[in-house]
Amino acid sequence: MATYTIKRAPGAERAYRIDYRAELNDAQYEAATALHGPVLVVAGAGSGKTRTLTFRVARLVESGVEPHAILLLTFTRRAAQEMLRRAELLLADGGLEAVTGGTFHSFANTMLRRYGKAFGWPDRFTILDRGDSEDTINLVRARLGLDRTERRFPRKQTLATIYSTAANKNLRVSDLVEREHAHLVDDLEDILRCQAAYEDYKRERALLDYDDLLIHLRDHLQRHDEFRARLRSIYRYVMVDEYQDTNHLQADIVAALAAPDGNVMAVGDDAQSIYGFRGADFRNIMEFPQRFPGARLVTLEENYRSTQSILDVTNAVIAQARERYAKTLFTRRAGGARPQLVPAPDDRWQSLFVRQRLLELHEEGVPLSEIAVLFRSSFHSFDLELELARSGVPFVKRGGFRFVETAHVKDVVAHLRVIENPRDAVSWHRILLLLEGVGPKLASAVVEWLAEGDRSVAALTDFPAPAGTRGRGVGTVRQLGAFLATLDARRAPTALVQQVVDYYRPILERVHRDDAPKRLRDLEQFTALAERYRELAPMLADMALEPPSDSVGDVMAVDVEEGEMLTLSTVHSAKGLEWHTVFVLSVADGRFPSAYSADEDDLEEERRLLYVACTRARENLILSYPSIVNERGVGPVVARVSRFLADLPGELLEHVTLVDEV
């Protein structure tokens, strides 16, 4: 068959089925059609990042790139599947099922099984999920006798976190412990012994945990030229989503796959880099141009989510960042109320304001499901949770546990409940099982003995040792009775809570040693919350209102359909989501940013966290903070608005004054 070649004029664009110019804005079009060489797409919040990536996949295929030559790396399998699904809708017969799309870990697993044998790694190996890893660590921990030391050795969950974080941050375990787990320094030698035994155990049995998948792939790529060249020849176009969330291992893998002058596109937003605690490194996206010389930079600034008045605030917040890619978000949407800044006299007032305002919005036609209350740390919502429960407002909480569901708060409440009601068998069992030497059998005997004679709490000091029981357990039971006898239910709840917390502290440090400092901060917040009450009984009643009846992952919910629920969420758990109205709680120095931000890098991540919180709002953004906060050992302290908001131009925010209507 004869062929005839049509010569195009220089610069003429080939015919595409998709009208990319019509479908994309100018910046999106530039990104989607930048097919060769390294490209960094800095995609502002709500700027159509997923749409851009989808159209770029389609453009590659329409330009003659074989689908199997495209590698799309994401942080969730769902994200990769969604992008490829959308691309398939654009190119119905594009053969996109051949595109390799998935997470870094799934890609590493495939490559190690396919090629690892050539480098001495068996093609048959078992992947340990997080639970498996923790159980394996616990096994070697027991073999080393570290479960029988006189002092409490870190739990398997803590050890797994330490080993994983060190791997992802490219740190030695010893450095990580000294930097982030100083209270475990005395155990460092044994922590390292346990790590070495864990690594030996996995190697002997062909086991890989999640971090091993990345480590082995990175090492093979860096050490074996033939392997690296082979993968580069297969995957000639590499795309990475959410690049700001990559850790050292993942960034090294991308660099090895793409080569400095390779066809790699990284898409992300430096302003939304908020997962440093998981090992993500902000430096990866900032240093992309240095790692890939000559990289093309495309910035997506048109926002399709928020009103301009909200964007003006978010732009001003991030403009103060020490280091960033310059961008100014804008929208073509008209109108929009100015975001509000609401100083409240205290936490109680803040909760009352949020409850009242969200109910007003609901009456105006905004569904509860379209309203979110965001906060820096889970305990910042404790006061509001009680107010919502009292008012019957259904909510779901994402990120952390609901206040009354945390083990340490439940422990303290149980001590208070037996003072209020000595016949509360459930609370008795809870506090008795916290005691050293007391098991279920002895705890049951104590509860039965108290009930038989309708005895008072103070009678526990004379508890007789049941036949066959050890003296140690009986002794701790009597000591508990002596302590409970000092509690007077007629005292102010604040004093009672503080008294119980002081007693409970050594128990907490023994039972929850690994994260005791964090749990103690929660109890400080509980003590401050108790100041709202004059009597113990009303406080305990409020604590018991609307107990959660459903739990899915880190979501605790009351018993209503989710479509009817208000969302309470930490900012970290809200990333990628959006609502009609967003409240951001406690935007005060010491809370947002956190008082535990240790250095400038931590403060910069806190700034980005506030940026993420504000960019979740479409129509209304309401920022509030208590003007007076209670600090343990100090009392009421004047709070200042967050430093990230203090210097914003006054016209950007509407300042609201709360008035008490009698």
Side-chain angles (χ1 to χ4, degrees):
M1 180 182 294
T3 59
Y4 186 83
T5 302
I6 301 294
K7 295 182 179 180
R8 298 189 184 189
E13 189 176 85
R14 66 181 294 166
Y16 293 99
R17 284 180 287 170
I18 300 171
D19 189 346
Y20 295 90
R21 281 285 186 190
E23 295 288 345
L24 304 170
N25 65 37
D26 290 346
Q28 292 172 337
Y29 177 82
E30 181 183 358
T33 58
L35 306 185
H36 305 291
V39 183
L40 175 62
V41 180
V42 178
S47 62
K49 168 180 68 71
T50 300
R51 182 177 180 81
T52 303
L53 280 169
T54 299
F55 275 85
R56 200 218 184 207
V57 172
R59 181 76 171 205
L60 283 168
V61 175
E62 281 211 88
S63 298
V65 176
E66 293 293 334
H68 63 73
I70 302 172
L71 172 63
L72 174 60
L73 294 172
T74 62
F75 279 84
T76 65
R77 183 175 61 178
R78 181 182 301 174
Q81 290 174 337
E82 177 62 16
M83 288 181 201
L84 295 178
R85 184 190 68 81
R86 293 188 190 184
E88 286 173 354
L89 292 176
L90 296 173
L91 298 174
D93 57 349
L96 294 183
E97 65 277 358
V99 173
T100 299
T103 66
F104 280 89
H105 291 90
S106 64
F107 176 71
N109 174 50
T110 300
M111 294 302 101
L112 290 176
R113 291 190 187 278
R114 186 175 298 169
Y115 303 108
K117 194 171 184 179
F119 310 113
W121 189 258
D123 55 357
R124 290 191 175 186
F125 56 82
T126 299
I127 299 174
L128 303 175
D129 64 19
R130 182 56 182 252
D132 296 330
S133 298
E134 292 174 356
D135 290 343
T136 305
I137 289 171
N138 208 40
L139 176 64
V140 299
R141 177 177 177 268
R143 287 185 174 183
L144 294 173
L146 296 175
D147 59 339
R148 299 189 299 274
T149 53
E150 292 182 2
R151 65 180 187 277
R152 184 176 173 85
F153 192 66
R155 295 174 300 174
K156 61 183 182 180
Q157 295 91 339
T158 301
L159 292 171
T161 296
I162 289 173
Y163 301 153
S164 178
T165 303
N168 288 318
K169 290 188 174 183
N170 199 26
L171 292 172
R172 295 186 305 175
V173 167
S174 56
D175 292 337
L176 180 72
V177 169
E178 291 173 3
R179 181 185 304 182
E180 299 182 16
H181 302 272
H183 60 295
L184 299 179
V185 167
D186 290 344
D187 294 314
L188 181 55
E189 183 178 345
D190 287 334
I191 289 173
L192 294 174
R193 264 205 315 142
C194 188
Q195 182 195 22
Y198 175 54
E199 296 301 328
D200 289 342
Y201 187 92
K202 289 186 295 180
R203 188 165 42 250
E204 292 166 1
R205 292 161 178 80
L207 304 174
L208 293 182
D209 61 28
Y210 286 153
D211 299 317
D212 293 330
L213 291 170
L214 300 183
I215 290 170
H216 282 286
L217 178 59
R218 190 267 318 267
D219 290 349
H220 289 340
L221 284 167
Q222 291 182 342
R223 297 172 184 172
H224 302 285
D225 296 343
E226 182 181 347
F227 176 59
R228 183 171 62 251
R230 182 171 181 78
L231 292 196
R232 285 179 179 177
S233 69
I234 296 172
Y235 302 108
R236 295 183 292 109
Y237 294 85
V238 179
M239 302 169 65
V240 188
D241 188 23
E242 302 286 11
Y243 191 75
Q244 80 279 353
D245 293 335
T246 54
N247 58 36
H248 285 277
L249 289 170
Q250 291 159 336
D252 286 346
I253 289 170
V254 172
L257 287 171
D261 58 348
N263 300 319
V264 56
M265 173 178 280
V267 181
D269 185 6
D270 56 293
Q272 297 188 72
S273 178
I274 61 172
Y275 294 114
F277 67 96
R278 293 182 185 170
D281 191 348
F282 172 75
R283 303 304 319 161
N284 287 345
I285 192 167
M286 299 309 298
E287 294 174 356
F288 185 91
Q290 288 74 49
R291 198 155 201 175
F292 298 92
R296 183 174 179 178
L297 176 64
V298 182
T299 305
L300 305 186
E301 297 176 290
E302 183 170 356
N303 180 281
Y304 294 91
R305 176 186 300 155
S306 307
T307 63
Q308 189 60 54
S309 57
I310 292 174
L311 297 179
D312 288 342
V313 171
T314 62
N315 287 333
V317 167
I318 206 64
Q320 303 174 63
R322 182 182 60 188
E323 186 177 6
R324 68 188 183 95
Y325 286 106
K327 63 178 179 298
T328 303
L329 298 183
F330 70 92
T331 182
R332 299 175 194 269
R333 296 178 56 194
R338 280 190 301 165
Q340 295 179 328
L341 180 63
V342 186
D346 54 26
D347 283 302
R348 169 71 169 154
W349 272 72
Q350 179 177 236
S351 298
L352 290 172
F353 162 72
V354 171
R355 183 212 63 189
Q356 180 173 317
R357 185 70 188 101
L358 69 87
L359 288 177
E360 290 172 352
L361 286 164
H362 188 243
E363 287 296 318
E364 294 167 9
V366 181
L368 283 180
S369 59
E370 277 292 333
I371 303 174
V373 182
L374 308 183
F375 29 86
R376 168 62 185 86
S377 300
S378 185
F379 70 84
H380 291 168
S381 70
F382 289 172
D383 191 276
L384 177 62
E385 290 175 43
L386 290 176
E387 186 59 40
L388 294 174
R390 182 186 295 109
S391 303
V393 178
F395 64 90
V396 59
K397 183 173 182 182
R398 304 179 187 277
F401 292 100
R402 286 180 64 175
F403 180 40
V404 295
E405 287 300 302
T406 53
H408 44 297
V409 172
K410 292 180 76 172
D411 289 345
V412 171
V413 169
H415 286 82
L416 298 171
R417 283 179 172 165
V418 298
I419 296 302
E420 180 67 21
N421 176 18
R423 292 177 293 182
D424 184 344
V426 173
S427 293
W428 273 117
H429 273 283
R430 184 175 190 93
I431 63 177
L432 287 166
L433 291 174
L434 293 170
L435 303 177
E436 292 188 277
V438 176
K441 184 176 180 180
L442 180 56
S444 296
V446 172
V447 174
E448 290 174 7
W449 181 79
L450 287 170
E452 283 172 2
D454 197 20
R455 296 180 172 91
S456 69
V457 170
L460 205 58
T461 56
D462 297 322
F463 174 66
T469 58
R470 297 181 181 179
R472 182 186 182 193
V474 173
T476 57
V477 168
R478 292 171 180 168
Q479 291 170 9
L480 171 65
F483 165 69
L484 294 176
T486 67
L487 298 179
D488 184 349
R490 295 169 296 179
R491 295 185 67 193
T494 305
L496 285 171
V497 171
Q498 187 61 64
Q499 196 174 348
V500 173
V501 168
D502 290 342
Y503 162 82
Y504 175 69
R505 181 189 298 268
I507 296 175
L508 182 147
E509 291 175 342
R510 170 173 56 82
V511 176
H512 301 291
R513 178 173 180 267
D514 300 343
D515 57 357
K518 176 181 179 297
R519 293 176 185 263
L520 284 171
R521 291 198 295 272
D522 286 352
L523 294 180
E524 290 172 11
Q525 182 71 13
F526 182 19
T527 305
L529 185 148
E531 293 185 359
R532 289 170 36 184
Y533 298 88
R534 295 183 179 180
E535 297 178 1
L536 179 61
M539 186 188 80
L540 293 177
D542 280 354
M543 295 288 287
L545 284 175
E546 301 290 347
S549 60
D550 188 25
S551 176
V552 183
D554 61 354
V555 179
M556 308 299 297
V558 291
D559 190 17
V560 296
E561 295 180 10
E562 186 163 351
E564 302 173 7
M565 293 185 190
L566 168 75
T567 295
L568 305 185
S569 177
T570 61
V571 182
H572 286 102
S573 295
K575 187 174 179 291
L577 303 175
E578 61 182 69
W579 292 269
H580 176 282
T581 297
V582 169
F583 293 83
V584 185
L585 288 185
S586 296
V587 287
D589 260 9
R591 290 191 176 182
F592 210 148
S594 167
Y596 299 95
S597 301
D599 53 32
E600 281 298 317
D601 287 341
D602 288 343
L603 282 173
E604 286 299 290
E605 183 156 317
E606 294 282 309
R607 181 190 303 282
R608 297 191 294 269
L609 198 60
L610 180 59
Y611 172 87
V612 168
C614 295
T615 53
R616 302 306 96 197
R618 295 199 303 269
E619 301 290 338
N620 297 320
L621 174 63
I622 303 168
L623 306 146
S624 65
Y625 68 98
S627 299
I628 301 293
V629 297
N630 283 293
E631 292 189 3
R632 183 171 183 245
V634 178
V637 174
V638 176
R640 298 181 303 170
V641 68
S642 171
R643 67 191 70 184
F644 305 141
L645 300 172
D647 297 329
L648 297 190
E651 68 273 10
L652 295 183
L653 293 167
E654 178 186 355
H655 294 257
V656 177
T657 300
L658 300 185
V659 178
D660 190 6
E661 183 178 295
V662 180

